[in-house]
Amino acid sequence: MAFTRPTPTGHERFFADDDVIVSKTDLTGKITYANDVFLTIASYEEHEVIGQPHSLIRHPDMPRSVFKFMWDTLGAEKEIFAYVVNMARNGDHYWVLAHVTPTFGPDGRPIGYHSNRRVPEPGAVSRIKQIYAALLAEERKYADKRQQLEAGTALLQRTLQDTGMPYEEFVWTLAA
Ligand SMILES: Cc1cc2nc3c(=O)[nH]c(=O)nc-3n(C[C@H](O)[C@H](O)[C@H](O)COP(=O)(O)O)c2cc1C
């Protein structure tokens, strides 16, 4: 698919509290399944997303270091809950609370990944927005992608250290 990354419109989209946005990927993050809620909110047809990298719906406000943390967690065969802002086809955005898990094959090894996303608490979104904005600002101090990742990851670790909680505990305090 010829794909031109959209420019953010600043317009937020919402989905219903009882909706779940679902996608599955292979081990490299290429989409193997997307449910109707996913396709509707992102404004894509199924054939346009299957086989595409999941970064298809990446929003530029998402820090690189958060995705690195997500992939590191999945690489350690662990689940992760994360607030993510995604971008629809026209550049509109929508916030989700994603639960991303490895899918294990019969031999117990990961064969892909699965993400279920639900409507996030508005209070959690306003808190995580500040944290992501700080991470993004830190990353943007550097032109080099590797340096961006290192600087963002270091700030993410400092931010967690300041809370005195590991990420998997901290993430639940955002909605409290
Ligand atoms: C199951 C699964 C679901 C994902 N969901 C999203 C998502 O909703 N939005 C997103 O931007 N990236 C998502 N990612 C992460 C992307 O694969 C990618 O790491 C991210 O968009 C950053 O892309 P980039 O490094 O090319 O900038 C997901 C990855 C997996 C394995």
Side-chain angles (χ1 to χ4, degrees):
M1 179 178 74
F3 176 65
T4 315
R5 198 164 286 281
T7 304
T9 60
H11 179 258
E12 186 163 3
R13 293 187 179 188
F14 297 93
F15 57 108
D17 282 342
D18 56 356
D19 272 347
V20 186
I21 301 176
V22 182
S23 63
K24 297 181 193 177
T25 71
D26 64 13
L27 289 171
T28 69
K30 285 210 174 83
I31 299 172
T32 55
Y33 170 80
N35 74 347
D36 284 343
V37 187
F38 181 112
L39 298 170
T40 301
I41 194 154
S43 300
Y44 285 106
E45 302 284 334
E46 186 180 41
H47 70 91
E48 294 175 310
V49 305
I50 301 297
Q52 296 303 317
H54 218 306
S55 53
L56 178 73
I57 56 165
R58 189 196 197 300
H59 194 288
D61 284 354
M62 277 301 294
R64 286 185 187 287
S65 47
V66 172
F67 288 122
K68 179 185 179 333
F69 186 77
M70 191 189 88
W71 277 103
D72 287 350
T73 306
L74 294 174
E77 302 189 1
K78 291 193 286 191
E79 65 177 0
I80 180 168
F81 288 85
Y83 291 91
V84 178
V85 63
N86 278 326
M87 193 154 67
R89 177 184 214 123
N90 74 336
D92 287 358
H93 65 274
Y94 54 98
W95 278 94
V96 301
L97 173 57
H99 178 206
V100 193
T101 57
T103 306
F104 296 97
D107 65 355
R109 296 164 77 95
I111 53 169
Y113 301 109
H114 186 131
S115 180
N116 278 345
R117 309 166 185 86
R118 290 189 172 275
V119 173
E121 293 285 334
V125 170
S126 58
R127 281 181 209 107
I128 204 73
K129 266 185 191 168
Q130 293 174 30
I131 293 171
Y132 285 179
L135 292 175
L136 204 61
E138 185 67 14
E139 292 176 5
R140 286 186 175 158
K141 288 181 185 164
Y142 303 89
D144 176 65
K145 192 174 163 180
R146 193 178 50 82
Q147 282 180 304
Q148 289 179 353
L149 267 182
E150 277 172 13
T153 299
L155 180 56
L156 179 58
Q157 293 308 331
R158 286 200 300 279
T159 307
L160 288 171
Q161 269 162 23
D162 289 348
T163 70
M165 282 176 265
Y167 175 85
E168 56 273 22
E169 214 177 296
F170 165 72
V171 73
W172 295 117
T173 65
L174 292 165

